Amino acid sequence: MHRIDNTPEPPGMPPSGPGAKGAAIIGGAEQHSAGPGPFVMASDTLEGNKVVDPSGEEIGTIDHIMLDVLGGRIAYAVLAMGGFLGIGEKLHALPWSALTLDTRRKCFVLGVERERIKAAPGFDKEHWPTMANSQWATTIHEYYGISPYWEKDRYDPWA
């Protein structure tokens, strides 16, 4: 995977792309910028960020960032799309590594077209899936063509 802006990764920075364990970062991340971002950030600063497809069309927003507490990792992001003032919204779990943080546009880019997301398995605020279910989590990762994060490290969050 190449960075969208075609600039090299800054030396000494965490890797982005297929070998990375988290979301990729594009858009001119500065190693010595003021504040902690974009390599370490408070999750609430990312909640509410827009998510766009590869063409730049807005898909929705990050509603929650879900943690694998025992493993100390981000399990996935919850995308909210549709609805009005939270009513009628459809939620989708997105594998964290399926997202790319674009620091210039201050949004996440998901490498999937809007129509595919609309057809993706989703849920509503009143009926969350059993997210600690390994079969459900594997299905979500497979839908987006992402290897489950626990397989890369031979880590089993359900052990």
Side-chain angles (χ1 to χ4, degrees), residues 3 10 13 25 27-39 103-104:
R3 290 168 48 133
M13 290 289 90
I25 300 173
E30 296 295 325
Q31 184 172 5
H32 300 292
S33 63
F39 300 105
T103 61
R104 278 202 191 105

Side-chain angles (χ1 to χ4, degrees), residues 18-100:
K21 295 181 182 181
I25 300 173
I26 61 168
E30 296 295 325
Q31 184 172 5
H32 300 292
S33 63
F39 300 105
V40 175
M41 299 181 78
S43 64
D44 64 349
T45 64
L46 300 173
E47 291 173 355
N49 278 18
K50 288 188 311 186
V51 177
V52 299
D53 71 9
S55 69
E57 182 180 353
E58 187 172 342
I59 298 170
T61 59
I62 298 294
D63 195 52
H64 295 290
I65 295 174
M66 306 301 290
L67 304 177
D68 172 347
V69 175
L70 292 175
R73 299 166 187 186
I74 296 174
Y76 52 89
V78 176
L79 170 74
M81 64 184 298
F84 181 71
L85 297 175
I87 299 170
E89 272 184 333
K90 187 173 179 185
L91 303 177
H92 300 274
L94 303 175
W96 188 244
S97 59
L99 295 166
T100 297

Side-chain angles (χ1 to χ4, degrees), residues 63-140:
D63 195 52
H64 295 290
I65 295 174
M66 306 301 290
L67 304 177
D68 172 347
V69 175
L70 292 175
R73 299 166 187 186
I74 296 174
Y76 52 89
V78 176
L79 170 74
M81 64 184 298
F84 181 71
L85 297 175
I87 299 170
E89 272 184 333
K90 187 173 179 185
L91 303 177
H92 300 274
L94 303 175
W96 188 244
S97 59
L99 295 166
T100 297
L101 177 61
D102 185 331
T103 61
R104 278 202 191 105
R105 295 188 290 172
K106 296 191 182 344
C107 67
F108 284 97
V109 180
L110 178 64
V112 177
E113 297 298 328
R114 181 178 179 84
E115 293 308 311
R116 179 144 170 86
I117 297 294
K118 287 169 92 173
F123 53 98
D124 64 52
K125 287 187 184 289
E126 304 302 320
H127 301 97
W128 284 61
T130 306
M131 297 183 170
N133 177 306
S134 63
Q135 183 177 0
W136 175 85
T138 299
T139 301
I140 295 301

Side-chain angles (χ1 to χ4, degrees), residues 9 19 153:
E9 298 290 345
D153 297 335

